[in-house]
Amino acid sequence: MSDLDPGALPPAPPEPLIADAPASAAAPWQERLEVVALLLLLSAAATLVARFANAYDLASSARPFTNQSADLVSVVRMAGQQSGPIAAGSILLAFLLVTLGPGDRISQRGVVALRAATVVGLAVAGVCAFAAIATLIDSADAGGVLGDASSSPRDALNRVSMAVPLLVAAAIAGYVAWCAFATLGEVPPEPVIPGPEPAVS
Amino acid sequence: MLALLLAFGALAIPVAGAALTSAVSMPGGSQLALGAVSSYDFLPVLMLVGALGILVIGADGRSDAASARASSAGVVVVLASGLLALAYLVSAYQLRAGGPFDGDASGEVVGWSFTRVTAVGSLLVTGVLCATVLALAARWIGERKAGRS
């Protein structure tokens, strides 16, 4: 058996990207970059929440003499316009830090970062897409609806220029969320420990 | 080179913001920190983290000239992250105690509203992120010096 052609041997199975070993097996700088990615995602989420609160406050104060509540569509549109593209960039950068880090494997902290990137990415994609559609359909800055006879070409151009960056941010955030979810799918299955044989009576 | 450009951009943006708002009078003398934070918002933080990632991930196989540029970029990242961390944490402190959120347009005290809590929280988290980048960049420079000697 020793004269077997080594080229005839089956190739070794690829190593999983995510480590099932303890986190100390990964390179130290990989773990440090994963901490930075986690903080970046937390900061992006906190900024998004702060923008929502600020937009709600502004929308509420715009109707001081009416008993109506704030217009939620304008709240989402304002928050998305203020923080959507930056939040999408943060999610993309956090995903790249985790997956392109100097270590061979992603530690458990990186898995948490990927899960957070999935959740925050989907949320940002939803907010950006809704804000873009709301900007296209009905804008507070210009009267009428896009394509309506009352809207001038300048208004239409203004709306499109505001909506296109939001659509791109939504696409980036959604795709990064999908990539992070697909990377999480490479977690190796739990090893099956054989139990005692059942007694046969 | 890209890391150096990103680091210089992350340093220049808050400095320009602080300089632009230095003439504005605000209660509590908080105009410098708030100007550094509010100029272009979160963009300098993204540039800082990107520069740190480029420095760490592309550490292998650099030529001497590229290695010198990387060392310079590391120093600029330390300076910029220190400035941004200070600006974010000082802004969080100002908004917590007597900053521009202390009163509304009519002069009435607002107190701890949800808007104020989220604003202070986001400033704190971003300040901690910048401080972490500062610590990691300083450690990266120290490890490079220890590896050479």
Side-chain angles (χ1 to χ4, degrees):
Chain A
M1 295 297 286
S2 61
D3 55 351
L4 273 178
D5 183 13
L9 292 175
E15 291 190 357
L17 183 62
I18 296 176
D20 51 350
S24 59
W29 275 104
Q30 171 75 32
E31 294 188 7
R32 290 167 194 157
L33 288 185
E34 286 166 0
V35 171
V36 173
L38 267 176
L39 279 173
L40 192 59
L41 288 168
L42 184 62
S43 183
T47 304
L48 191 66
V49 172
R51 295 289 188 226
F52 261 102
N54 193 24
Y56 186 82
D57 207 17
L58 285 175
S60 298
S61 60
R63 302 180 174 188
F65 303 113
T66 61
N67 290 327
Q68 295 176 346
S69 60
D71 184 11
L72 291 181
V73 174
S74 68
V75 168
V76 177
R77 186 174 59 215
M78 204 183 304
Q81 286 174 351
Q82 286 180 350
S83 64
I86 287 289
S90 304
I91 295 162
L92 174 63
L93 189 53
F95 175 73
L96 291 178
L97 283 179
V98 172
T99 54
L100 298 182
D104 295 333
R105 305 277 188 90
I106 298 173
S107 67
Q108 288 302 314
R109 204 174 288 137
V111 172
V112 175
L114 286 176
R115 285 178 183 153
T118 305
V119 174
V120 179
L122 285 177
V124 170
V127 169
C128 287
F130 187 86
I133 293 170
T135 304
L136 278 177
I137 291 177
D138 185 20
S139 174
D141 301 329
V145 179
L146 185 65
D148 197 1
S150 62
S151 64
S152 65
R154 184 182 291 266
D155 291 338
L157 195 62
N158 191 21
R159 287 180 190 187
V160 170
S161 65
M162 283 195 295
V164 166
L166 290 172
L167 283 176
V168 174
I172 289 174
Y175 187 66
V176 170
W178 169 250
C179 289
F181 184 71
T183 308
L184 282 173
E186 296 184 12
V187 176
E190 293 284 334
V192 178
I193 301 174
E197 292 291 331
V200 179
S201 57
Chain B
M1 191 65 187
L2 180 59
L4 189 59
L5 287 174
L6 285 174
F8 268 122
L11 181 62
I13 289 174
V15 169
L20 282 174
T21 55
S22 61
V24 181
S25 63
M26 292 174 76
S30 59
Q31 71 270 19
L32 283 180
L34 281 174
V37 165
S38 60
S39 172
Y40 289 97
D41 206 35
F42 203 67
L43 188 61
V45 181
L46 283 187
M47 296 166 81
L48 265 186
V49 176
L52 178 71
I54 291 172
L55 287 180
V56 172
I57 293 172
D60 296 333
R62 281 198 178 111
S63 63
D64 288 342
S67 185
R69 279 197 297 268
S71 297
S72 307
V75 173
V76 181
V77 166
V78 167
L79 288 175
S81 55
L83 176 68
L84 272 175
L86 193 65
Y88 271 103
L89 294 177
V90 167
S91 297
Y93 181 77
Q94 296 282 354
L95 294 192
R96 180 199 68 84
F101 279 7
D102 212 20
D104 58 7
S106 61
E108 295 181 1
V109 176
V110 174
W112 278 103
S113 61
F114 183 64
T115 308
R116 188 170 180 176
V117 170
T118 54
V120 172
S122 68
L123 287 174
L124 269 180
V125 172
T126 313
V128 170
L129 170 63
C130 292
T132 307
V133 172
L134 165 67
L136 289 182
R139 183 164 190 160
W140 182 80
I141 293 174
E143 285 186 3
R144 278 175 62 89
K145 283 187 178 175
R148 283 182 180 177
S149 60

